[in-house]
Amino acid sequence: MTFVPSAALQRVKPSATLAVTQKARDLKARGVDVISLGAGEPDFDTPDHIKQAAIDAIQRNETRYTAVDGIAELKDAIIKKFRRDNALEYTAAQVHVAPGGKPVIFNAFAATLNPGDEVIIPAPYWVTYPEVVRLLGAEAVCVKTDIGNGYKITADELAAAITPKTRWLILNSPSNPTGMGYTASDLRGLADVLLKHPQVWIMTDDMYEHIVYGDFKFATMAEVEPRLHDRTLTMNGVSKAYSMTGWRIGYAAGPVELINGMRKVISQTTSNPCSISQWAAVAALNGDHSFLEARNGAFLRRRDLVLEWVNQCEGLVAPTPEGAFYVFADCTGVIGKTAPDGTVINNDNDFCSALLDAEAVAVVPGVAFGLEPGFRISYATSDDLLKEAGVRIKRFCAALVAK
């Protein structure tokens, strides 16, 4: 039988970040000395007290089906987290737990979107946002942002993008792929626009909330503007701050009607998240957070190391991220140049492919994130590898020849 892909499948692109990571793995398996700066994954281990909580859960035989969108103990920990960190109040009926952030997004959009509906997504964006929207037959309205504004959507840009068909706005802060964050003042300006458009829901992806630097103070929309509380789905998870990417726990809180709809979706798709992972997440949210300071210190050191060599590369420039563990470099200055092997750099995809071939450094092109020419560097790896990557990328840029 011939496989015929559905119309929905044909609307969706595979994850570019996962593709780059896999290509780097394949090259390493062939003996190539690849430095992969593509993965959005902390290189630190899950803290011991979280691992112990999982072991204890296994010993207690917490191995059966749970409530489809989270055990009561985890929902209670999430409620306490939102109160403690964000001054937000929710009940258990307003909390949704899923096997990762992607299912949270899918469940929310599957519960609310119809063909023709529009979702506003500032670009550059995390690669999954528009693909989930398209998978469900809705329209991704991608608003390209400017490096001069820190790659953040402005109130004027938001107002211009809203139409009667707009159902959602997605905000990710600190951002994947840029590391830039929305201040309370930034959010206040966007809130003033959103208050004029009651048909628009807001999804805030706060996955990198606890990975921030310097004087930047994290804020989230429902906290900044309480009048938007009942239109906002505040999403988070344990993957990044707690180094639990493989445990697959994402969560969100929002209006009861929306959460009920999301629960209906998850009941017929993945069903409950892993029972053991849920108990580990309870320990993560309720437990000691002192380890974050040292880890953020390491990320800050790495960020500054990467910025130093990026801004020394001919044709590259990057703003200073306020959080997460990414630098998004603009490579406008190398477009049109030629690599030593004769490859003409017509776009950021050409740049990233030629860099991998010439210097065995893997980064993700900006086109994957909806804004080009540029590329994302993940600095969630060792200082030594980042220093060596800098040597290789500077050498590659210096070898490019203008026409």
Side-chain angles (χ1 to χ4, degrees):
M1 177 181 288
T2 302
F3 171 71
V4 179
S6 68
L9 183 62
Q10 293 181 65
R11 290 193 295 267
V12 177
K13 302 173 186 175
S15 170
T17 53
L18 295 180
V20 167
T21 302
Q22 187 58 50
K23 185 173 182 180
R25 286 196 192 105
D26 293 342
L27 288 171
K28 283 184 178 180
R30 300 206 315 257
V32 180
D33 180 22
V34 176
I35 299 176
S36 180
L37 306 180
E41 180 173 48
D43 59 325
F44 299 111
D45 293 331
T46 303
D48 288 341
H49 70 279
I50 298 173
K51 291 188 285 188
Q52 187 59 52
I55 293 169
D56 293 343
I58 293 172
Q59 296 295 341
R60 293 196 310 271
N61 294 309
E62 303 281 2
T63 55
R64 294 175 173 82
Y65 293 133
T66 74
V68 292
D69 66 345
I71 59 176
E73 291 83 354
L74 180 50
K75 289 193 174 188
D76 182 65
I78 291 166
I79 290 167
K80 290 176 179 175
K81 173 263 179 290
F82 279 126
R83 182 182 299 133
R84 176 183 68 237
D85 296 342
N86 312 112
L88 293 174
E89 292 291 337
Y90 295 103
T91 66
Q94 294 175 292
V95 175
H96 181 85
V97 185
K102 288 181 181 179
V104 172
I105 296 167
F106 178 86
N107 296 342
F109 286 169
T112 57
L113 290 177
N114 292 305
D117 287 343
E118 296 176 351
V119 178
I120 296 174
I121 307 172
Y125 45 67
W126 182 40
V127 295
T128 293
Y129 299 144
E131 302 310 326
V132 172
V133 172
R134 293 171 185 141
L135 180 65
L136 294 167
E139 301 295 326
V141 178
C142 300
V143 179
K144 294 186 177 182
T145 59
D146 186 79
I147 189 172
N149 293 324
Y151 294 121
K152 295 180 287 188
I153 192 170
T154 66
D156 288 343
E157 289 168 339
L158 174 59
I162 294 175
T163 75
K165 295 181 180 180
T166 305
R167 291 297 304 275
W168 285 90
L169 163 69
I170 303 178
L171 292 175
N172 177 208
S173 174
S175 161
N176 175 4
T178 70
M180 307 303 286
Y182 287 86
T183 65
S185 178
D186 293 331
L187 294 174
R188 175 73 268 161
L190 299 177
D192 289 342
V193 174
L194 291 164
L195 287 169
K196 300 174 184 176
H197 299 277
Q199 87 278 13
V200 181
W201 294 75
I202 305 100
M203 177 184 290
T204 62
D205 181 349
D206 301 344
M207 198 67 71
Y208 296 90
E209 171 184 3
H210 292 301
I211 305 176
V212 295
Y213 312 121
D215 296 331
F216 178 78
K217 181 174 172 52
F218 176 82
T220 194
M221 183 62 84
E223 172 190 18
V224 170
E225 178 45 84
R227 287 177 292 177
L228 292 175
H229 186 281
D230 292 340
R231 288 165 49 195
T232 301
L233 184 69
T234 304
M235 187 183 91
N236 213 311
V238 298
S239 292
K240 310 301 181 178
Y242 304 99
S243 300
M244 295 175 67
T245 50
W247 297 77
R248 308 311 302 137
I249 295 291
Y251 61 84
V256 170
E257 313 81 51
L258 173 60
I259 298 300
N260 286 343
M262 294 170 66
R263 185 181 306 114
K264 186 175 182 181
V265 173
I266 198 173
S267 74
Q268 297 293 0
T269 52
T270 61
S271 194
N272 66 271
C274 170
S275 60
I276 305 306
S277 296
Q278 290 188 65
W279 284 104
V282 171
L285 294 176
N286 286 343
D288 180 20
H289 288 72
S290 61
F291 66 90
L292 288 171
E293 183 176 0
R295 294 186 179 193
N296 283 358
F299 281 138
L300 175 61
R301 183 181 67 249
R302 296 169 180 180
R303 181 202 72 175
D304 291 345
L305 191 158
V306 170
L307 283 174
E308 181 180 5
W309 56 251
V310 163
N311 289 314
Q312 290 174 357
C313 291
E314 297 178 31
L316 305 185
V317 63
T320 300
E322 289 139 336
F325 36 76
Y326 310 107
V327 168
F328 193 80
D330 183 293
C331 61
T332 302
V334 303
I335 301 303
K337 292 186 176 182
T338 302
D341 67 354
T343 299
V344 178
I345 310 299
N346 292 310
N347 50 52
D348 52 22
N349 199 54
D350 290 342
F351 175 87
C352 295
S353 295
L355 173 64
L356 185 58
D357 291 339
E359 294 288 355
V361 177
V363 294
V364 186
V367 64
F369 306 103
L371 190 70
E372 52 184 325
F375 60 94
R376 189 191 77 174
I377 299 164
S378 170
Y379 51 85
T381 190
S382 72
D383 293 35
D384 288 343
L385 284 177
L386 291 172
K387 290 175 183 176
E388 175 61 22
V391 170
R392 297 184 189 186
I393 294 178
K394 283 195 287 185
R395 183 168 61 209
F396 178 74
C397 291
L400 297 176
V401 178
K403 288 183 179 179

